[in-house]
Amino acid sequence: MRSVPDAAQPTADQLLRAAARGDEPAFAELYDLMAPAVFGLSRRVVRDPARAEEITQDVFVSVWRFATRFDPDKGSARTWILTLTHRRAVDVVRADAASSRREQRAAKYDTPFDSVLEETATRLQGEDVRECLETLTDLQRESVLLAYYGGYSYPEVSTLLDVKLPTVKTRMRDSLIRLRDCLGAWR
Amino acid sequence: MNIDVHTLAGAFALDALPSDEAAEFQRHLAECTACQVEVAELQTTATHLGLAVAEQPPPRVREAVLQAVHQTRQVPPPAQPTHRRRRPPRAWLAAAAAAVVVGAGAVGLTDLVRDDAAPRDPIASVVAAPDAESTAARLRGGGRLTVVSSEQLGQAVVLSERLPPAGAGRVYQLWLVDSDGQPRSADVLIGSSGAADVVSGVEPGDQVAITREPEGGSEQPTMKPLAVTKAL
């Protein structure tokens, strides 16, 4: 087993690996470490706090169940957990949109997109993320924020921003690459 | 490398692909190491956007999670390769040895999953799952079975193509077969070719099998499987 450099503050990776061995106290610590991000992201995407609580609960129970399958070679525990969270939240948003279409209501999302952008800009924590977003062009930034926090698909983003589909696809990739380089996210 | 598919990495990392394109990209991803690296990097980048909107959930969520966890069994870890010895298949499965396992690979998923509506249906969720894997097998007597499964979701999508008619009063039935060779009904009956069905409750070590059964299905298979393929 690897030695823990600072036993007082284990990382998400270490906690997840302990949880994989059935260590419930370690899992509780992992919850404390990651729950704000999981809940905050869910809430940002689905808006409804009650739904966000449900997603948070589902995500953590899945994390516990599948902790044994976490492979640190494929990415960090934080990324594993937040990727799962985002996908759940987006599924919830799209399932809601589908059922409202079935009910023949206009398939409208609760929030107008400019409020997604506005709120995001004012509430983002972390200087580094905010600064790096500033380095993007408006189109790059809006594409990423609408997809990630708004839970919109790229064809929806294309409609909202009134740009061609291939452009949106390309912008999403460009801007993530630029963010990656700016954040130094990948050593 | 298909340039057009490759540009989807960003949208994929943001979960912004409609279901058909997510399926297409997932297939491409399985064969493209460069894309796997890129997607992993871009997901790590997206993670920073998630961390930036952290917000404390109410304490009741913590209580509910810890209580649920206390009562939830974890899935077994993958065994180390040296210990991964194949169990000798039981008689029922052994008979299916004739069914050729085609192995993991590309299939006409998009044709079956095509759904231009943006929302994810259950099929698309499985296909787009981060851990989705596909296998395929031919049926004795014709037809093809493709299984795309996600361990995280505990679900598999079973695509049946070009099945010969089941015959009067007969249907095809899907089974999940555990690592001891015990079949249990997947509660999916297939009347015609070209179906895509979601099977839930898939456990690691399960295989998917298909038989022909009397209309309404059977509790236990009444014939040797026409095909078997790995699910998880």
Side-chain angles (χ1 to χ4, degrees), chain B residues 119-142:
Chain B
R120 300 263 172 97
D121 53 295
I123 290 174
S125 297
V126 174
V127 172
D131 64 337
E133 284 182 19
S134 73
T135 60
R138 288 187 214 291
L139 274 69
R140 282 186 285 129

Side-chain angles (χ1 to χ4, degrees), chain A residues 24-40:
Chain A
E24 290 181 39
F27 181 81
E29 265 191 79
L30 179 65
Y31 177 91
D32 293 337
L33 193 62
M34 291 300 298
V38 170
F39 179 70

Side-chain angles (χ1 to χ4, degrees), chain A residues 13-166:
Chain A
D13 280 54
Q14 289 163 340
L15 292 169
L16 184 53
R17 270 176 286 173
R21 297 189 291 268
D23 185 338
E24 290 181 39
F27 181 81
E29 265 191 79
L30 179 65
Y31 177 91
D32 293 337
L33 193 62
M34 291 300 298
V38 170
F39 179 70
L41 177 57
S42 308
R43 189 154 136 70
R44 180 55 56 99
V45 175
V46 301
R47 319 294 295 193
D48 176 359
R51 302 297 288 277
E53 285 183 31
E54 282 169 24
I55 293 170
T56 304
Q57 207 168 318
D58 285 355
V59 164
F60 276 103
V61 174
S62 291
V63 166
W64 168 256
R65 283 195 66 213
F66 293 98
T68 49
R69 302 298 168 118
F70 168 66
D71 180 356
D73 292 342
K74 290 186 181 160
S76 70
R78 289 196 315 189
T79 298
W80 194 63
I81 293 170
L82 286 190
T83 302
L84 186 60
T85 303
H86 192 259
R87 202 155 288 181
R88 282 280 163 91
V90 166
D91 280 345
V92 165
V93 165
R94 298 201 183 154
D96 284 356
S99 64
S100 54
R101 257 198 292 276
R102 273 199 293 279
E103 289 158 26
Q104 305 203 317
R105 280 192 266 121
K108 255 191 209 158
Y109 291 83
D110 291 335
T111 317
F113 84 97
D114 47 342
S115 97
V116 172
L117 297 176
E118 202 177 299
E119 240 186 87
T120 300
T122 52
R123 293 187 52 193
L124 270 186
Q125 304 158 20
E127 270 315 296
D128 48 351
V129 174
R130 214 174 18 235
E131 273 173 23
C132 287
L133 282 170
E134 286 303 314
T135 68
L136 303 178
T137 66
D138 288 350
L139 186 55
Q140 283 179 328
R141 186 170 50 250
E142 287 173 359
S143 306
V144 164
L145 296 182
L146 286 171
Y148 195 74
Y149 295 127
Y152 295 112
S153 67
Y154 85 83
E156 290 166 338
V157 173
S158 149
T159 307
L160 289 171
L161 297 179
D162 196 20
V163 285
K164 292 200 170 81
L165 285 170

Side-chain angles (χ1 to χ4, degrees), chain B residues 2-25:
Chain B
N2 182 333
I3 296 298
D4 191 44
V5 170
H6 196 73
T7 61
L8 294 176
F12 180 81
L14 294 167
D15 295 320
L17 290 179
S19 52
D20 56 343
E21 287 179 77
E24 190 185 345
F25 186 76

Side-chain angles (χ1 to χ4, degrees), chain B:
Chain B
M1 186 191 303
N2 182 333
I3 296 298
D4 191 44
V5 170
H6 196 73
T7 61
L8 294 176
F12 180 81
L14 294 167
D15 295 320
L17 290 179
S19 52
D20 56 343
E21 287 179 77
E24 190 185 345
F25 186 76
Q26 189 84 51
R27 259 184 3 204
H28 173 68
L29 199 56
E31 298 155 5
C32 173
T33 315
C35 307
Q36 290 166 16
V37 172
E38 183 170 304
V39 165
E41 290 180 6
L42 299 186
Q43 283 175 337
T44 302
T45 305
T47 297
H48 287 267
L49 295 173
L51 293 168
V53 292
E55 189 181 333
Q56 202 63 46
R60 62 175 170 269
V61 181
R62 187 181 197 272
E63 284 163 33
V65 165
L66 296 185
Q67 198 185 347
V69 153
H70 190 62
Q71 296 167 359
T72 302
R73 189 181 149 74
Q74 295 175 293
V75 303
Q80 289 296 324
T82 43
H83 302 295
R84 198 189 290 152
R85 114 190 106 80
R86 269 197 100 68
R87 284 167 193 267
R90 299 270 171 99
W92 189 67
L93 274 186
V100 186
V101 173
V102 180
V107 278
L109 271 184
T110 30
D111 298 334
L112 287 151
V113 178
R114 177 143 301 153
D115 169 12
D116 290 324
R120 300 263 172 97
D121 53 295
I123 290 174
S125 297
V126 174
V127 172
D131 64 337
E133 284 182 19
S134 73
T135 60
R138 288 187 214 291
L139 274 69
R140 282 186 285 129
R144 183 185 162 98
L145 207 62
T146 303
V147 178
V148 182
S149 42
S150 159
E151 191 170 339
Q152 285 190 9
L153 299 174
Q155 289 183 322
V157 173
V158 181
L159 309 172
S160 40
E161 297 167 88
R162 296 190 295 280
L163 301 184
R170 315 281 287 178
V171 290
Y172 288 96
Q173 184 168 357
L174 296 180
W175 306 89
L176 289 170
V177 185
D178 68 18
S179 50
D180 288 331
Q182 286 302 317
R184 61 188 192 279
S185 176
D187 295 325
V188 173
L189 301 178
I190 301 166
S192 64
S193 185
D197 295 280
V198 177
V199 176
S200 296
V202 183
E203 300 285 341
D206 278 351
Q207 293 180 287
V208 172
I210 186 167
T211 60
R212 256 191 307 273
E213 301 293 335
E215 217 161 357
S218 306
E219 294 266 315
Q220 283 293 310
T222 60
M223 68 178 294
K224 306 294 183 195
L226 294 161
V228 180
T229 183
K230 179 177 165 292
L232 280 178

